[in-house]
Amino acid sequence: MDRNIIQALDLSTIRWDAQGLVPAIVQDVETKEVLMLAYMNEESLRRTLLERKACYYSRSRQSLWLKGETSGHFQEIVDIKFDCDKDTLLLTVKQIGMACHENYFSCFHYDLTNEGFKEIGEPEVRPELTLGRTLELLTEVIHSRNLERPEGAYTTYLFEKGIDKILKKVGEESAEVIIAAKNSDPDEIRCEVSDLFYHVLVMLEERGVSVEEVSRELLKRRK
């Protein structure tokens, strides 16, 4: 956004508290993990919109703080929403490095057990994506390849060759998965299943069937 537009933006619909603050829940765009809870005032929110990096208000220091200014672990803004009561913000960010000052990816790395709070995860480790999220991200890339058709990309080659070529690859990869499974080689199975998943996603894109539709169909079969 332009600086003048941001400065003129009406933020009065947000229900600021008596100190002029609003809580901001922060979620990573790739892992979907909740990273932290912080607070914003109007100035920090406008700066966030302007710089596209998360800026918060420190209640202890009573000053603005740009997340990552000293550590380099910035939060690049993807989206900002507020809830139905208009008193809480939800920031979707691309987290650079770790979000927690204890050097964990998320501040929420303590699990409540019968013995009390137990630390989970490891410092300086970014959590792996779930298979579902990985497929979603890969689907986005395949869709963009279909729209843009960048020269030299294998996915572009498949789309330009058409459905017969794509189906041939699906068939070949299916056979290779069977062979890998018969060979009982975990590495081979992993690679061949990955190849099959990719070509099936290309086929779905070419035929106009979304992964969300497949997901709904699979959920109907869960018993």
Side-chain angles (χ1 to χ4, degrees), residues 98 103-105 120-126:
M98 304 292 108
N103 218 18
Y104 282 77
F105 186 66
I120 55 176
E122 298 180 29
E124 300 185 8
V125 174
R126 186 182 183 91

Side-chain angles (χ1 to χ4, degrees), residues 9-10 19 35 76 81 84 86 106 113 115-116 138 162 170 188 193 218-219 222-223:
L9 193 63
D10 182 13
Q19 287 73 45
L35 300 176
E76 299 176 357
K81 296 182 175 69
C84 54
K86 300 181 177 63
S106 169
T113 68
E115 290 77 35
L138 182 54
V170 171
E188 186 182 359
V193 169
L218 288 172
L219 284 173
R222 185 179 67 177
K223 297 180 180 178

Side-chain angles (χ1 to χ4, degrees), residues 1-203:
M1 288 186 186
D2 180 84
R3 178 183 294 273
N4 293 329
I5 294 176
I6 291 172
Q7 292 302 322
L9 193 63
D10 182 13
L11 300 177
S12 61
T13 51
I14 297 175
R15 294 175 61 184
W16 309 94
D17 67 14
Q19 287 73 45
L21 303 176
V22 65
I25 300 168
V26 188
Q27 182 181 39
D28 180 63
V29 66
E30 290 190 349
T31 65
K32 297 300 183 181
E33 188 155 349
V34 176
L35 300 176
M36 56 184 280
L37 170 68
Y39 287 83
M40 287 183 156
N41 63 5
E42 186 172 327
E43 183 182 359
S44 70
L45 179 54
R46 291 188 191 278
R47 181 174 173 183
T48 295
L49 292 170
L50 179 65
E51 299 181 7
R52 305 307 296 176
K53 291 180 179 178
C55 178
Y56 305 107
Y57 182 83
S58 171
R59 294 174 298 169
S60 59
R61 297 192 300 269
Q62 295 191 336
S63 62
L64 300 187
W65 60 286
L66 177 66
K67 178 69 175 174
E69 191 167 25
T70 56
S71 66
H73 297 173
F74 295 101
Q75 293 175 341
E76 299 176 357
I77 299 298
V78 176
D79 188 36
I80 299 179
K81 296 182 175 69
F82 57 79
D83 71 335
C84 54
D85 292 325
K86 300 181 177 63
D87 60 2
T88 304
L89 297 177
L90 174 62
L91 276 61
T92 304
V93 304
K94 179 181 179 182
Q95 176 65 50
I96 307 300
M98 304 292 108
C100 180
H101 75 282
E102 294 182 343
N103 218 18
Y104 282 77
F105 186 66
S106 169
C107 293
F108 297 97
H109 58 271
Y110 291 95
D111 194 12
L112 182 58
T113 68
N114 292 335
E115 290 77 35
F117 284 98
K118 179 182 178 182
E119 198 167 296
I120 55 176
E122 298 180 29
E124 300 185 8
V125 174
R126 186 182 183 91
E128 293 186 0
L129 300 181
T130 64
L131 173 60
R133 185 59 183 150
T134 299
L135 293 177
E136 285 179 348
L137 293 172
L138 182 54
T139 297
E140 292 173 7
V141 173
I142 291 172
H143 180 64
S144 69
R145 292 288 190 274
N146 189 21
L147 294 178
E148 300 165 8
R149 302 290 175 97
E151 186 177 351
Y154 176 64
T155 310
T156 298
Y157 163 78
L158 288 175
F159 284 129
E160 290 181 345
K161 285 295 183 180
I163 189 61
D164 288 344
K165 177 65 174 179
I166 295 170
L167 293 178
K168 180 181 178 182
K169 291 300 299 181
V170 171
E172 289 174 357
E173 299 302 340
S174 298
E176 289 177 9
V177 168
I178 294 171
I179 293 169
K182 289 289 288 183
N183 291 339
S184 193
D185 184 335
D187 289 338
E188 186 182 359
I189 293 171
R190 183 186 68 250
C191 291
E192 297 303 343
V193 169
S194 297
D195 287 343
L196 177 59
F197 281 4
Y198 161 76
H199 286 93
V200 167
L201 291 176
V202 173
M203 180 271 293

